[in-house]
Amino acid sequence: PTGNMDSTVALQRAFVAARTDNVTLFVPLGCFRLTDTVTATQPRNGRWQPTVVVGERPETGGRAPTFFLPPGTPAFSDPEVSKPVLFFITNWCLEPGAALGVAALGCNTSAQPLHDWHSSAYQFNMALQGVDIILGENNPSAVGVDMNAAQGSTIENVNVFAGPDAQAGVAG
């Protein structure tokens, strides 16, 4: 949590484990360096298996857990593309409880790859609470959070500090 090492892979694994095990992901105080999108993927009929991310509450005047996108991160360099740091999405072709590679009954992933079966209209009870996001300068495709969701979903007590060339703090 010092911000010195890349936490992208570890945080992605934590998002998947929290959803799969149906537990809240608790983010401790500290700074977590991210260099690519971390995706919270909700499965088919996922209202019973959302990804819920809650940051540790700091003492008065302290800083919330912070996700930090360093200035000039290569994955966020294309101004023609919106690219979120934290992305909340539903994969209608993913079975509840399954790892990300297991297709739901009736999904033909040989005709259409599993990653193409995404939808936001059926995203329920996803939550992001009590964290800060810093988008360093020279990341022209950066969006802090993309959560285009439905019933019960929330973004609460989240601050996005964006460099002047970022696309958006929150989208969706």
Side-chain angles (χ1 to χ4, degrees):
T2 63
N4 293 327
M5 296 183 63
D6 190 346
S7 298
T8 307
V9 172
L11 187 61
Q12 183 62 65
R13 286 182 187 148
F15 269 45
V16 172
R19 177 194 51 85
T20 303
D21 296 338
N22 204 20
V23 298
T24 297
L25 175 59
F26 176 77
V27 182
L29 295 176
C31 183
F32 302 89
R33 177 185 296 259
L34 300 177
T35 57
D36 208 345
T37 300
V38 175
T39 303
T41 304
Q42 188 172 58
R44 168 193 300 230
N45 297 323
R47 71 180 67 221
W48 299 283
Q49 199 175 29
T51 301
V52 176
V53 180
V54 177
E56 181 177 354
R57 186 172 291 175
E59 292 185 23
T60 302
R63 186 156 193 96
T66 302
F67 300 118
F68 172 63
L69 180 66
T73 301
F76 294 85
S77 64
D78 185 353
E80 301 298 316
V81 177
S82 293
K83 185 171 175 64
V85 174
L86 300 180
F87 186 40
F88 291 76
I89 191 72
T90 296
N91 184 331
W92 198 245
C93 216
L94 179 65
E95 282 288 356
L100 287 177
V102 178
L105 184 63
C107 289
N108 182 354
T109 57
S110 62
Q112 185 173 12
L114 187 62
H115 66 272
D116 288 344
W117 288 84
H118 292 287
S119 171
S120 294
Y122 301 103
Q123 186 169 236
F124 302 101
N125 304 323
M126 302 284 259
L128 178 64
Q129 300 174 332
V131 299
D132 289 343
I133 300 168
I134 298 174
L135 306 176
E137 293 184 358
N138 299 318
N139 289 305
S141 64
V143 174
V145 180
D146 187 334
M147 182 192 288
N148 187 6
Q151 302 161 342
S153 295
T154 185
I155 298 173
E156 182 179 351
N157 295 329
V158 173
N159 296 300
V160 180
F161 302 96
D165 58 346
Q167 286 202 10
V170 176

